[in-house]
């Protein structure tokens, strides 16, 4: 079936109830141009080659992506992955084209449009709101460090991505991908399925070819889950590799930003640009001497040969039968490529710090968010208490589907000098690091641990919230260790990722292994924007 015919059958059939815009039928399909997008699946290397040859310019690339967003995010399938586009994007791209002609490119990101999650500060004409009307109109006084580094690298900051409001730390039964400002983001593979959060818009944007690469952030699962569910690559770096200065926080002991891309190579290029020591974030001092200046050096298609890979089974499998089969196939492929497979290589402490993880996040959310809000020059809220009050006053827009009980719990917490907080943090680090990932890797002499990233996308449910059946993000998230997910195939038409994680500062090894698996498997496929999941 031709892709055009498939879209007519899959997107338009029965879709009007989901997406009112689709009721216009063929007119909308023509406007979306879903079957002839010239930049579909292009890589950073592809774009640089075409700009160097003069075939394309940054301005034409930027225009094409803006038109794609307008036709498919705001209309057509209405993915709702983008909250706002940069009104200066085309002029920035034009200036970068002029610079390329006069001085040459700054590097591999010169002229490449990038989407940032809407919790990354940009001191421009875009706002930074974490998806909330409470910060509507807020423009920070300076760029986040990672945003500045992207500008310095010559990237075009194209847009702000939708997200789970306040990075999904508002309600215990929220719907991932929903924010007051952005509405409910959709999964581009199957529109009534969830894109996972909280970097839902970043993941959906990359997958739907609204950009080449994007920035996501993670506290626990918010890069790797949307990457897996949207069929792309996500890297959650070691805590301290990427500065969090100017990123709306949840918790400093677990927060990090990271790359989201369609290929491991593109993710590595993006990681190069955003990593490094920053005086604005003291945690980055630990990366000195432990990070790499060029992660693309480790893109080795033969890296699986001789690598010792442990398979974490206990509490990290059984989410879904089709997913388990895909992971078994992935492990068999890695073994065929020369990997030494240790199966099982279970993490003995799994599940023993779930309660204290949440306790730490509550304490740090209040302290860290209050500090961030106090730095804003023109925000109408200056504290978590102010946000809670704002939401109560504006319930119709902010709480039509779920409340803010997590915010209320956090507001009741004391200071970060509390003995209860300090004990919980120490327990988390001991069980996730020394007695967790480190112990497992030492016991089996591993280069990496692998498992399913999580379950396939569930139907979006604004009434009851998310329907997770399992995920593997917590060990690396609580430890502050690196975690990479790569497409592993499709479960009933829905993407599933395989995770590679390991010790602190092991990005080099994980990127090599993830790349080798990606090159051997080639599971990435662009989405077709089906209205709903069908069988047969």
């Amino acid at each position: 079936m031709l892709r055009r015919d498939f879209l007519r059958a899959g997107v338009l059939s029965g879709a009007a109830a989901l997406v009112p815009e689709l009721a216009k039928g063929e007119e909308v399909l023509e406007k979306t141009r879903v079957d002839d997008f010239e930049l579909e699946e292009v890589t950073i290397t592809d774009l640089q080659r075409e700009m160097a040859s003069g075939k394309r310019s940054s301005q034409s690339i930027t225009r094409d992506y803006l038109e794609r967003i307008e036709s498919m995010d705001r209309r057509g399938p209405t993915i709702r992955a983008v909250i706002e586009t940069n009104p200066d994007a085309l002029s920035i791209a034009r200036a970068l084209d002029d610079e390329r002609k006069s001085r040459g490119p700054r590097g591999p990101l010169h002229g490449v449009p990038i989407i940032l999650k809407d919790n990354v500060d940009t001191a421009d004409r875009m706002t930074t709101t974490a998806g909330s009307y409470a910060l509507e109109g807020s423009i920070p006084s300076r760029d986040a460090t990672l945003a500045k580094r992207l500008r310095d690298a010559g990237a075009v900051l194209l847009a702000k991505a939708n997200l789970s409001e306040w990075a999904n730390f508002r309600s215990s039964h929220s719907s991932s991908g929903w924010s007051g400002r952005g509405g409910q983001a959709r999964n581009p593979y199957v529109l009534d399925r969830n894109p996972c959060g909280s970097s839902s818009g970043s993941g959906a944007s990359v997958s739907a070819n609204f950009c080449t690469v994007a920035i996501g952030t993670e506290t626990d699962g918010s890069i790797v889950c949307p990457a897996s569910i949207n069929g792309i690559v996500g890297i959650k770096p070691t805590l301290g590799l990427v500065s969090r200065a100017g990123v709306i926080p949840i918790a400093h002991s677990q927060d990090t930003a990271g790359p989201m891309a369609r290929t491991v190579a593109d993710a590595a290029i993006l990681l190069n640009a955003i990593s490094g020591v920053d005086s604005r974030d003291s945690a980055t001092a630990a990366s000195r001497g432990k990070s790499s200046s060029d992660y693309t050096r480790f893109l080795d298609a033969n890296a699986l040969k001789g690598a010792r890979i442990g398979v974490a089974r206990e509490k990290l499998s059984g989410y879904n039968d089709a997913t388990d089969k895909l992971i078994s196939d992935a492990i068999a492929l890695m073994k065929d490529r020369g990997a030494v497979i240790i199966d099982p290589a279970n993490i003995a402490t799994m599940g023993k710090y779930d309660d204290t993880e949440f306790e730490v996040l509550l304490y740090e959310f209040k302290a860290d968010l209050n500090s961030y809000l106090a730095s804003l020059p023109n925000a109408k809220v200056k504290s978590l208490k102010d946000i809670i009050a704002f939401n109560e006053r504006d319930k119709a827009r902010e709480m039509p589907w779920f409340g803010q009980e997590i915010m209320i719990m956090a507001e009741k917490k004391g200071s970060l000098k509390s003995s209860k907080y300090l004990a919980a943090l120490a327990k988390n680090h001991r069980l996730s690091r020394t007695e967790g990932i480190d112990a497992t890797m030492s016991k089996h002499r591993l280069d990496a641990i692998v498992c399913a990233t999580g379950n396939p996308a569930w139907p979006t449910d604004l009434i009851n919230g998310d329907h997770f059946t399992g995920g593997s993000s917590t060990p690396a998230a609580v430890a502050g260790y690196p975690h990479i997910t790569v497409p592993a195939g499709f479960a009933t038409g829905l993407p599933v990722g395989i995770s590679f994680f390991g010790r602190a500062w092991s990005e080099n090894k994980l990127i090599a292994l993830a790349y080798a698996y990606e090159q051997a498997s080639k599971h990435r496929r662009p989405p077709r924007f089906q209205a709903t999941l069908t069988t047969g």
Side-chain angles (χ1 to χ4, degrees), residues 178-200:
W178 184 92
S179 71
R181 289 190 66 222
Q184 177 63 58
R186 292 186 168 99
N187 189 302
Y189 286 90
V190 181
L191 298 176
D192 65 359
R193 296 270 161 167
N194 199 272
C196 197
S198 66
S199 303
S200 47

mmCIF file of all heavy atoms in Angstrom, residues 178-200:
data_model
loop_
_atom_site.group_PDB
_atom_site.id
_atom_site.type_symbol
_atom_site.label_atom_id
_atom_site.label_comp_id
_atom_site.label_asym_id
_atom_site.label_seq_id
_atom_site.Cartn_x
_atom_site.Cartn_y
_atom_site.Cartn_z
ATOM 1 N N TRP A 178 0.315 16.016 28.740
ATOM 2 C CA TRP A 178 -0.697 17.069 28.862
ATOM 3 C C TRP A 178 -0.118 18.259 29.621
ATOM 4 O O TRP A 178 0.530 18.108 30.665
ATOM 5 C CB TRP A 178 -1.934 16.595 29.611
ATOM 6 C CG TRP A 178 -3.029 17.642 29.653
ATOM 7 C CD1 TRP A 178 -4.047 17.789 28.765
ATOM 8 C CD2 TRP A 178 -3.186 18.700 30.614
ATOM 9 N NE1 TRP A 178 -4.833 18.873 29.102
ATOM 10 C CE2 TRP A 178 -4.322 19.452 30.232
ATOM 11 C CE3 TRP A 178 -2.475 19.097 31.739
ATOM 12 C CZ2 TRP A 178 -4.763 20.562 30.944
ATOM 13 C CZ3 TRP A 178 -2.905 20.205 32.456
ATOM 14 C CH2 TRP A 178 -4.042 20.927 32.069
ATOM 15 N N SER A 179 -0.353 19.439 29.087
ATOM 16 C CA SER A 179 -0.047 20.673 29.808
ATOM 17 C C SER A 179 -1.158 21.667 29.544
ATOM 18 O O SER A 179 -1.868 21.572 28.527
ATOM 19 C CB SER A 179 1.299 21.264 29.370
ATOM 20 O OG SER A 179 1.223 21.806 28.060
ATOM 21 N N GLY A 180 -1.299 22.619 30.449
ATOM 22 C CA GLY A 180 -2.326 23.626 30.277
ATOM 23 C C GLY A 180 -2.147 24.398 28.986
ATOM 24 O O GLY A 180 -3.094 24.591 28.214
ATOM 25 N N ARG A 181 -0.924 24.830 28.720
ATOM 26 C CA ARG A 181 -0.666 25.632 27.513
ATOM 27 C C ARG A 181 -0.675 24.788 26.249
ATOM 28 O O ARG A 181 -1.097 25.257 25.192
ATOM 29 C CB ARG A 181 0.694 26.333 27.625
ATOM 30 C CG ARG A 181 0.735 27.469 28.627
ATOM 31 C CD ARG A 181 2.048 28.236 28.472
ATOM 32 N NE ARG A 181 2.123 28.916 27.189
ATOM 33 C CZ ARG A 181 3.210 28.975 26.418
ATOM 34 N NH1 ARG A 181 4.319 28.357 26.795
ATOM 35 N NH2 ARG A 181 3.202 29.628 25.274
ATOM 36 N N GLY A 182 -0.202 23.572 26.320
ATOM 37 C CA GLY A 182 -0.025 22.782 25.106
ATOM 38 C C GLY A 182 -1.126 21.799 24.803
ATOM 39 O O GLY A 182 -1.207 21.285 23.687
ATOM 40 N N GLY A 183 -1.987 21.501 25.792
ATOM 41 C CA GLY A 183 -2.984 20.462 25.587
ATOM 42 C C GLY A 183 -2.352 19.082 25.631
ATOM 43 O O GLY A 183 -1.232 18.914 26.108
ATOM 44 N N GLN A 184 -3.067 18.092 25.125
ATOM 45 C CA GLN A 184 -2.600 16.707 25.171
ATOM 46 C C GLN A 184 -1.815 16.350 23.910
ATOM 47 O O GLN A 184 -2.357 16.303 22.808
ATOM 48 C CB GLN A 184 -3.783 15.746 25.315
ATOM 49 C CG GLN A 184 -3.404 14.275 25.298
ATOM 50 C CD GLN A 184 -2.510 13.879 26.468
ATOM 51 O OE1 GLN A 184 -2.887 14.054 27.627
ATOM 52 N NE2 GLN A 184 -1.328 13.349 26.178
ATOM 53 N N ALA A 185 -0.525 16.096 24.093
ATOM 54 C CA ALA A 185 0.304 15.639 22.977
ATOM 55 C C ALA A 185 -0.090 14.221 22.591
ATOM 56 O O ALA A 185 -0.550 13.435 23.429
ATOM 57 C CB ALA A 185 1.777 15.690 23.355
ATOM 58 N N ARG A 186 0.103 13.899 21.310
ATOM 59 C CA ARG A 186 -0.264 12.589 20.790
ATOM 60 C C ARG A 186 0.970 11.815 20.338
ATOM 61 O O ARG A 186 1.984 12.396 19.973
ATOM 62 C CB ARG A 186 -1.215 12.744 19.601
ATOM 63 C CG ARG A 186 -2.585 13.286 19.950
ATOM 64 C CD ARG A 186 -3.472 13.248 18.706
ATOM 65 N NE ARG A 186 -4.867 13.491 19.043
ATOM 66 C CZ ARG A 186 -5.466 14.666 18.911
ATOM 67 N NH1 ARG A 186 -4.785 15.699 18.448
ATOM 68 N NH2 ARG A 186 -6.742 14.813 19.234
ATOM 69 N N ASN A 187 0.819 10.503 20.321
ATOM 70 C CA ASN A 187 1.865 9.649 19.788
ATOM 71 C C ASN A 187 1.748 9.624 18.264
ATOM 72 O O ASN A 187 0.689 9.295 17.729
ATOM 73 C CB ASN A 187 1.700 8.232 20.347
ATOM 74 C CG ASN A 187 2.873 7.335 20.014
ATOM 75 O OD1 ASN A 187 3.207 7.138 18.857
ATOM 76 N ND2 ASN A 187 3.496 6.782 21.036
ATOM 77 N N PRO A 188 2.793 9.978 17.527
ATOM 78 C CA PRO A 188 2.664 10.061 16.068
ATOM 79 C C PRO A 188 2.467 8.717 15.378
ATOM 80 O O PRO A 188 2.044 8.686 14.216
ATOM 81 C CB PRO A 188 3.977 10.716 15.635
ATOM 82 C CG PRO A 188 4.927 10.474 16.748
ATOM 83 C CD PRO A 188 4.113 10.434 17.995
ATOM 84 N N TYR A 189 2.740 7.610 16.046
ATOM 85 C CA TYR A 189 2.475 6.307 15.442
ATOM 86 C C TYR A 189 0.985 5.981 15.455
ATOM 87 O O TYR A 189 0.422 5.562 14.455
ATOM 88 C CB TYR A 189 3.278 5.215 16.163
ATOM 89 C CG TYR A 189 4.735 5.258 15.808
ATOM 90 C CD1 TYR A 189 5.622 6.032 16.555
ATOM 91 C CD2 TYR A 189 5.238 4.558 14.723
ATOM 92 C CE1 TYR A 189 6.967 6.108 16.219
ATOM 93 C CE2 TYR A 189 6.577 4.624 14.381
ATOM 94 C CZ TYR A 189 7.439 5.399 15.132
ATOM 95 O OH TYR A 189 8.765 5.479 14.787
ATOM 96 N N VAL A 190 0.363 6.181 16.609
ATOM 97 C CA VAL A 190 -1.071 5.933 16.763
ATOM 98 C C VAL A 190 -1.625 7.079 17.599
ATOM 99 O O VAL A 190 -1.293 7.222 18.775
ATOM 100 C CB VAL A 190 -1.347 4.575 17.432
ATOM 101 C CG1 VAL A 190 -2.853 4.342 17.556
ATOM 102 C CG2 VAL A 190 -0.702 3.431 16.645
ATOM 103 N N LEU A 191 -2.468 7.895 17.008
ATOM 104 C CA LEU A 191 -2.824 9.185 17.590
ATOM 105 C C LEU A 191 -3.556 9.096 18.921
ATOM 106 O O LEU A 191 -3.472 10.019 19.737
ATOM 107 C CB LEU A 191 -3.657 9.997 16.596
ATOM 108 C CG LEU A 191 -2.960 10.343 15.275
ATOM 109 C CD1 LEU A 191 -3.923 11.058 14.342
ATOM 110 C CD2 LEU A 191 -1.718 11.184 15.516
ATOM 111 N N ASP A 192 -4.280 8.012 19.179
ATOM 112 C CA ASP A 192 -4.975 7.921 20.457
ATOM 113 C C ASP A 192 -4.120 7.271 21.538
ATOM 114 O O ASP A 192 -4.584 7.031 22.652
ATOM 115 C CB ASP A 192 -6.329 7.216 20.318
ATOM 116 C CG ASP A 192 -6.212 5.758 19.905
ATOM 117 O OD1 ASP A 192 -5.083 5.270 19.705
ATOM 118 O OD2 ASP A 192 -7.279 5.102 19.762
ATOM 119 N N ARG A 193 -2.838 7.024 21.219
ATOM 120 C CA ARG A 193 -1.891 6.473 22.196
ATOM 121 C C ARG A 193 -1.038 7.592 22.779
ATOM 122 O O ARG A 193 -0.858 8.639 22.175
ATOM 123 C CB ARG A 193 -1.002 5.427 21.531
ATOM 124 C CG ARG A 193 -1.772 4.216 21.040
ATOM 125 C CD ARG A 193 -1.874 3.142 22.075
ATOM 126 N NE ARG A 193 -2.942 2.190 21.796
ATOM 127 C CZ ARG A 193 -3.081 1.029 22.402
ATOM 128 N NH1 ARG A 193 -2.211 0.656 23.335
ATOM 129 N NH2 ARG A 193 -4.090 0.235 22.127
ATOM 130 N N ASN A 194 -0.463 7.315 23.946
ATOM 131 C CA ASN A 194 0.268 8.341 24.679
ATOM 132 C C ASN A 194 1.726 8.433 24.230
ATOM 133 O O ASN A 194 2.340 7.415 23.915
ATOM 134 C CB ASN A 194 0.195 8.040 26.176
ATOM 135 C CG ASN A 194 0.510 9.236 27.040
ATOM 136 O OD1 ASN A 194 1.665 9.487 27.372
ATOM 137 N ND2 ASN A 194 -0.516 9.995 27.395
ATOM 138 N N PRO A 195 2.304 9.646 24.231
ATOM 139 C CA PRO A 195 3.706 9.816 23.847
ATOM 140 C C PRO A 195 4.673 9.679 25.012
ATOM 141 O O PRO A 195 5.883 9.840 24.839
ATOM 142 C CB PRO A 195 3.745 11.233 23.287
ATOM 143 C CG PRO A 195 2.705 11.960 24.097
ATOM 144 C CD PRO A 195 1.616 10.951 24.363
ATOM 145 N N CYS A 196 4.174 9.418 26.196
ATOM 146 C CA CYS A 196 4.939 9.299 27.440
ATOM 147 C C CYS A 196 5.552 10.650 27.824
ATOM 148 O O CYS A 196 5.664 11.567 27.023
ATOM 149 C CB CYS A 196 6.013 8.216 27.362
ATOM 150 S SG CYS A 196 6.614 7.712 29.007
ATOM 151 N N GLY A 197 5.931 10.767 29.075
ATOM 152 C CA GLY A 197 6.418 12.049 29.557
ATOM 153 C C GLY A 197 7.644 11.897 30.423
ATOM 154 O O GLY A 197 8.046 10.790 30.714
ATOM 155 N N SER A 198 8.201 13.051 30.794
ATOM 156 C CA SER A 198 7.603 14.346 30.551
ATOM 157 C C SER A 198 8.101 15.023 29.280
ATOM 158 O O SER A 198 7.539 16.011 28.830
ATOM 159 C CB SER A 198 7.872 15.269 31.746
ATOM 160 O OG SER A 198 9.260 15.567 31.877
ATOM 161 N N SER A 199 9.159 14.455 28.655
ATOM 162 C CA SER A 199 9.683 15.041 27.414
ATOM 163 C C SER A 199 8.890 14.525 26.214
ATOM 164 O O SER A 199 9.453 14.163 25.175
ATOM 165 C CB SER A 199 11.172 14.717 27.256
ATOM 166 O OG SER A 199 11.912 15.163 28.365
ATOM 167 N N SER A 200 7.583 14.504 26.369
ATOM 168 C CA SER A 200 6.687 13.957 25.349
ATOM 169 C C SER A 200 6.788 14.726 24.038
ATOM 170 O O SER A 200 6.874 14.140 22.959
ATOM 171 C CB SER A 200 5.252 13.970 25.865
ATOM 172 O OG SER A 200 4.952 15.227 26.452
#
